[in-house]
Amino acid sequence: MVDRLANSEANTRRISIVENCFGAAGQPLTIPGRVLIGEGVLTKLCRKKPKARQFFLFNDILVYGNIVIQKKKYNKQHIIPLENVTIDSIQDEGDLRNGWLIKTPTKSFAVYAATATEKSEWMNHINKCVSDLLSKSGKTPSNEHAAVWVPDSEATVCMRCQKAKFTPVNRRHHCRKCGFVVCGPCSEKRFLLPSQSSKPVRICDFCYDLLSTREMTACQSTRSDSYSQSPKSSLNDVSDDDDDEDSSD
């Protein structure tokens, strides 16, 4: 069915409408073979609070953005290649129901549908698209995923030292490796996570020690084989970058 729709006028028109809704700031979405599978509003669990986002499922990508005018205008377009996506169901908890995790190497987050039926349909369609893509490309599912950030509201004190209380002065930070909410002193170090950024990113002391030990072990192993293997180039672009934790997403 997807192959039949790929070059249809109706599909081309639907994708064009989505493009126009994002305006000039959005990336072009019309390419040969791309099919719009479905769309809808899902609640995305952001660091501050859950927020409604418009999602569009294509046969090769998942697109979402902020709702400016429902069905007419969206901004802050995000495009996620489906071949890198893994999804896991989330158990209902309080007001947060019908949810699942969308996990990728660069970013992972939770979304919630309005009903259990809607959740089931979204998950089935996403899994089918991912399965078809991997089958065609011969690739294996990604086994590396970015951590899902713990929402700010779930941590009144640092999740590492268990001592520092968060205040307007003592800000919350997120470790990019584990997703924990941590205080400044517990997350002063940075580490290069190539799947998430070309520059070192903020991580907590616990993850830094863990990653440093692994890197040291790998480095020692590489040196032991240095006579039989050509040297690997070092990672560049390791300058410090601004913390992005003031963003609503």
Side-chain angles (χ1 to χ4, degrees):
M1 180 178 177
V2 170
D3 292 336
R4 190 171 71 248
L5 290 172
N7 298 312
S8 71
E9 290 185 11
N11 177 66
T12 301
R13 187 166 57 252
R14 290 175 69 201
I15 295 178
S16 178
I17 291 172
V18 175
E19 281 186 350
N20 292 335
C21 286
F22 278 102
Q27 295 184 38
L29 298 172
T30 303
I31 65 169
R34 177 168 288 165
V35 175
L36 178 58
I37 305 296
E39 61 183 271
V41 177
L42 299 173
T43 299
K44 179 177 178 289
L45 195 60
C46 302
R47 65 164 298 201
K48 297 290 186 184
K49 61 181 180 179
K51 297 178 181 178
R53 297 285 184 257
Q54 180 73 26
F55 280 78
F56 299 92
L57 176 63
F58 297 83
N59 59 331
D60 62 333
I61 58 174
L62 183 65
V63 178
Y64 71 92
N66 294 6
I67 302 170
V68 180
I69 303 175
Q70 182 65 42
K71 297 288 186 180
K72 292 184 178 181
K73 187 177 181 181
Y74 312 108
N75 63 13
K76 294 188 178 180
Q77 182 192 70
H78 298 263
I79 299 178
I80 303 174
L82 281 179
E83 64 179 16
N84 296 328
V85 167
T86 301
I87 59 174
D88 289 323
S89 180
I90 304 174
Q91 290 186 345
D92 294 344
E93 185 176 346
D95 294 334
L96 297 174
R97 308 178 66 83
N98 310 313
W100 68 97
L101 295 177
I102 297 175
K103 302 188 295 185
T104 80
T106 56
K107 187 174 185 177
S108 301
F109 53 90
V111 292
Y112 296 85
T115 66
T117 300
E118 189 179 343
K119 169 186 174 178
S120 177
E121 290 176 349
W122 270 101
M123 292 188 70
N124 288 338
H125 284 308
I126 292 173
N127 275 326
K128 180 65 166 61
C129 289
V130 173
S131 177
D132 289 347
L133 279 172
L134 294 177
S135 177
K136 290 179 180 178
S137 67
K139 296 180 180 179
T140 56
S142 175
N143 57 6
E144 181 181 0
H145 305 111
V148 178
W149 283 17
V150 175
D152 286 0
S153 59
E154 292 188 17
T156 56
V157 298
C158 174
M159 298 178 71
R160 284 303 181 195
C161 70
Q162 300 290 324
K163 296 177 182 178
K165 293 184 178 180
F166 295 120
T167 67
V169 176
N170 187 29
R171 294 179 55 230
R172 292 172 171 83
H173 302 280
H174 276 86
C175 172
R176 295 333 193 250
K177 181 61 180 175
C178 66
F180 276 21
V181 183
V182 290
C183 63
C186 283
S187 59
E188 292 179 337
K189 297 182 176 68
R190 292 175 183 262
F191 200 91
L192 186 65
L193 302 176
S195 62
Q196 295 190 39
S197 175
S198 61
K199 299 179 180 180
V201 292
R202 181 188 290 270
I203 62 174
C204 68
D205 291 348
F206 178 84
C207 288
Y208 182 84
D209 292 341
L210 214 68
L211 292 169
S212 297
T213 301
R214 290 179 189 171
E215 191 176 65
M216 188 177 297
T217 302
C219 185
Q220 289 171 345
S221 175
T222 301
R223 279 201 295 267
S224 68
D225 292 336
S226 61
Y227 292 106
S228 59
Q229 297 180 4
S230 58
K232 293 180 173 65
S233 60
S234 60
L235 291 168
N236 297 318
D237 197 18
V238 293
S239 60
D240 201 5
D241 64 348
D242 291 333
D243 206 14
D244 64 356
E245 285 152 346
D246 286 328
S247 62
S248 60
D249 254 358

